[in-house]
Each structure stands twice: as C-alpha cells, then as structure tokens.
Amino acid sequence: MAVDARKELRREDPTGEFVRNSSCVARTATGQMTLVSADGMSLGGMWYGNIPGRNEQLRMGFMRNAWKKWEALPEEVRRPGGVKLGAASNKIDTTRTPHKVPPGALVVRVYNRQLEPDGKGGLRYTEPDDYPEGHRRNTPRYRESAQDFMWVPEREWRAMIPAQAKQNESFDAPESFRARVFRFHLDPCRGLGEGVTFGHCDADAGRITLTVEGVTRDSIRLRIDGAAKLDNRKTSYAPTLLGYLTYDRSTKQVSEFRMVALGTVDNTPRGVRPGKHPLGIAFEYVAKPRPSELVHPRGARDGLEEYLAGKR
Amino acid sequence: MRKTYLLSLGLLATLSAALAQAEQSIAPEQFTSFFQKVKPQNGESRFWEIEWMLDLTAAREKAAAEGKPLLIWSGSGGAPVGAC
C-alpha cells in the first residue's frame, strides 16, 4: 500500500477509522512504513527519513521485527478469510479517496535527473561532493532519478493531432498543456520534497510547438520543440524541450509520447544545490499502466480539475 | 551569458555535440540517449519493483481474504510512490 496520509486520516468511513485506530499512516511529509493486520493491529512502524549509511539495515530490522509480531498473532487472524471486515467497502468516503485517471487520459511518467558539468565541457551524474556539507551530501536519492506522473486529458491530446496532417506543418500545443507542463512538470523540486516551485506560472512562461514530421497511412508523427523561463525569485529553471508524439491512425490512439527537457537550475529548492546546475527531465507515455502507476500527479494533489484544465 | 553544457557521462559522451548548441538544445539524433540516461538506472528506485496498491479499502479486503498483513508506506504530502 502506498497512500496519502492526509486524505486517509480524514476519511469519514470504516477505512478512516481503521487508519486512525491503528496509527498506520505518517504525520509528517517524510513518511513512514507500517506493518498492520487487516483488523487494525499495528505490528510496527518506522519513520522513513534518511539515516546515512544505515537505511537498509534499519528498514530490514523493522521488517524482521514486525514480521515476528505478525507470526505471533493467533491463527484465526492470520488465516485467509480469518478477519471479517463487514461493511468496510460498502460505505466509502469518496471525497478522500485517491484521484483516478480520467477516461482516455494519457498516463505519462516524469523523471528528474540532477546533473553536473564534468569539467571537460560535458555533463555527468552527481556525486556526494556535489552537494553542500551535511545531510544533503549523504542523501542517495538526490543522486538518483526522481519521479512524478503527468496526466494528459483526452480532449487535449486529441487537439494535438491534426485532422489533415501536412508534412512540416507547425502549431502551438494547447494552452492547458503548456500551463500544466510549465507549472508542475518542469519542477526542480521533484525528488526533493512535496513543494511546487513554479505554481504561479502560466502558459506564456514558454513555448511548446508541434511539427508534423511524418505522415503515413498508419500514423502521424509529431516533433515537440519548446523552451521555458521559469522563475519564482528564489529558484529559476530555463530548459529547452524536445520530444515526439506518434498517433496510430488505425486505433486512433497515441502510441508514443516521449519528451526531454534540459536546462540550468539556479538555486535548487530546499537548499539542495545552491548556484547554477543542469537538470534533465524525461517524459514517457505508459500505454498499459500498472496499478501503482495510476498514482496521481503531484500537481493534481490539491485540485484535479484545475490541474487538468491548466487553471490556477 | 547562457551557459552551455556537453553531456559526456561515459556512454553519454556522444551527446556532446548536440548539447553544445545555444540554450542547451538537444539534437534529435541524441534524443534517445539522453532520454534513457535521465531515467532510473539499475539499482535506482527499487521500490518500483513492488506492486503497490493505492486503494486502502481494497488492500485491506485483499489482506483479510489472503491472510496477510498490510505494509503501508505513507506520506502526509502524498503517496510516496508519486511525487515527493
């Protein structure tokens, strides 16, 4: 289970009671892991913060101890069907359940990658010494690819497919698409915390243009070019974008959407990297999302309709 | 003055020409290499190897039916498998 603790704690239904009674979710953004029985007995939990050099040891220790408590529970709790939940699923507080992907929307994975100049005119992955002294230097996840999701509503991606596609024809991406990308998905904060760096930005913070690059009987292939200048007075990011969108004319569905952004971040959020540093971001359409890939985008957390409409 | 970077992280060396352009533009022929290198590499984000469920009510029912405990990973700013 991977859940938004704020929502689950406030549910006014049997699942909400289960969450509150078992204290099985986090009270902080750092998060926690908890092992709990289906009838609500907490078997142990741990804060999910970074403890340099000891993360794996501590997490495995938590799991071993919690599993021992599970094995010590009476057989009637542990056997299949042993716990009866009654009407738990009949009364659901739908105002607190996770957002669901709108029908027909594209699910796109978004990856952020912090980079550094390699001293030879190139770029390299970051190393511990690239970060300020202290805990940031010892946080492995800063050096890894961070992740988010983007949802592209059906009306929007269909608007990007020309009815009479002509080679080299160019046009602007829909305003709502540009606003969503600039506001939520060119965000150097992903992987660092839950903040939104450029939430005030609109579609005019940059440009995204589609150009018909290929037309066949079976498909239409579009190239995506763009650039943005995003700034919140503390942090700025000025990437250029390149990508491709392929539309399958027989299925009338998108078969490919991939895009990358590369630019310089000035003052990475949360003090993670003061000064100017390159940041790469990659977008990839997921044709058949796994259940866990249906988690909503960070940008939709506080308002799905606004997120999809590109409105503030 | 806008800074220009070349990408030369081992296998990324071939991207240098593309990224040497003004405004850090990415040449189409370098697109796939750069795209792959921004994505998670082996050993990164291993939590994605787990099939996390997102619906707690459904997960609780599944745990009860199968006689298993629930491992709950939560964050007060959102589900940790999403953005944080």
Side-chain angles (χ1 to χ4, degrees):
Chain A
M1 276 305 306
V3 300
D4 182 340
R6 293 183 315 165
K7 286 193 172 185
E8 302 294 343
L9 277 166
R10 295 172 187 163
R11 289 175 67 147
E12 294 182 3
D13 60 12
T15 299
E17 290 175 28
F18 165 83
V19 168
R20 290 184 290 275
N21 292 340
S22 63
S23 299
C24 65
V25 300
R27 302 278 177 172
T28 69
T30 305
Q32 73 177 46
M33 276 201 171
T34 308
L35 197 71
V36 61
S37 64
D39 62 349
M41 177 172 291
S42 177
L43 304 165
M46 74 169 289
W47 174 69
Y48 207 72
N50 177 46
I51 301 175
R54 298 187 63 205
N55 287 325
E56 186 170 342
Q57 174 195 356
L58 291 170
R59 289 167 190 167
M60 290 307 295
F62 145 68
M63 286 299 298
R64 276 191 290 270
N65 291 335
W67 192 255
K68 281 181 188 170
K69 290 182 181 177
W70 164 254
E71 291 185 317
L73 291 179
E75 175 63 25
E76 59 265 29
V77 176
R78 292 186 293 124
R79 67 177 170 81
V83 172
K84 305 296 182 191
L85 300 182
S89 62
N90 295 334
K91 292 165 42 182
I92 294 177
D93 179 357
T94 55
T95 66
R96 302 289 183 190
T97 49
H99 296 310
K100 289 188 166 48
V101 184
L106 304 183
V107 173
V108 177
R109 293 194 68 151
V110 185
Y111 305 97
N112 279 32
R113 171 74 72 176
Q114 297 186 36
L115 300 163
E116 278 293 327
D118 68 358
K120 302 172 189 172
L123 292 177
R124 58 169 173 77
Y125 290 155
T126 57
E127 301 289 345
D129 286 349
D130 295 325
Y131 297 87
E133 286 188 28
H135 76 279
R136 292 178 182 86
R137 185 166 288 181
N138 298 304
T139 302
R141 67 184 169 89
Y142 291 165
R143 306 192 295 274
E144 299 185 354
S145 179
Q147 288 142 68
D148 190 8
F149 287 83
M150 178 169 74
W151 289 351
V152 184
E154 183 172 16
R155 57 166 170 69
E156 192 177 82
W157 68 255
R158 288 204 182 277
M160 297 189 209
I161 313 300
Q164 304 293 329
K166 295 175 184 168
Q167 189 81 20
N168 298 323
E169 172 189 10
S170 287
F171 50 93
D172 288 340
E175 183 176 334
S176 56
F177 178 80
R178 285 180 280 136
R180 185 181 316 109
V181 169
F182 298 153
R183 194 173 295 153
F184 295 116
H185 296 296
L186 297 178
D187 191 337
C189 197
R190 295 285 65 78
L192 313 180
E194 61 180 293
V196 172
T197 310
F198 305 121
H200 62 287
C201 289
D202 290 314
D204 63 2
R207 61 171 180 83
I208 300 179
T209 303
L210 296 113
T211 302
V212 178
E213 202 171 69
V215 184
T216 68
R217 188 182 67 179
D218 300 325
S219 66
I220 299 171
R221 184 170 166 87
L222 305 168
R223 190 182 71 247
I224 305 166
D225 297 289
K229 290 186 177 178
L230 309 168
D231 195 330
N232 74 354
R233 295 184 182 177
K234 293 181 181 174
T235 296
S236 65
Y237 183 41
T240 56
L241 294 91
L242 175 67
Y244 298 94
L245 188 158
T246 304
Y247 175 72
D248 185 319
R249 302 179 91 168
S250 58
T251 63
K252 301 187 185 329
Q253 299 294 322
V254 168
S255 58
E256 176 196 28
F257 173 84
R258 295 189 299 159
M259 185 168 75
V260 294
L262 175 62
T264 299
V265 175
D266 194 357
N267 288 330
T268 300
R270 303 174 72 92
V272 169
R273 287 199 300 171
K276 296 184 177 181
H277 305 275
L279 172 71
I281 301 178
F283 299 73
E284 182 176 38
Y285 165 56
V286 185
K288 294 180 180 175
R290 296 148 53 191
S292 50
E293 291 178 316
L294 298 176
V295 66
H296 64 74
R298 165 61 188 89
R301 187 189 77 178
D302 302 317
L304 177 60
E305 289 184 17
E306 293 85 350
Y307 171 82
L308 294 173
K311 305 285 185 188
R312 281 192 279 143
Chain B
M1 182 175 168
R2 193 174 291 279
K3 201 163 183 178
T4 318
Y5 294 117
L6 306 180
L7 196 63
S8 67
L9 174 68
L11 293 174
L12 298 182
T14 56
L15 294 179
S16 58
L19 299 177
Q21 310 209 356
E23 296 193 341
Q24 299 176 303
S25 60
I26 303 162
E29 61 271 24
Q30 312 298 346
F31 173 83
T32 299
S33 295
F34 184 62
F35 177 84
Q36 293 297 338
K37 295 307 171 185
V38 172
K39 290 179 61 178
Q41 304 299 297
N42 286 340
E44 293 184 351
S45 305
R46 294 200 61 203
F47 57 87
W48 274 107
E49 295 171 19
I50 297 171
E51 282 299 340
W52 299 96
M53 294 179 70
L54 306 175
D55 182 332
L56 185 49
T57 303
R60 197 176 161 213
E61 289 177 341
K62 181 178 171 70
E66 297 181 2
K68 295 177 181 175
L70 294 100
L71 177 65
I72 299 177
W73 189 18
S74 60
S76 69
V81 293
C84 199

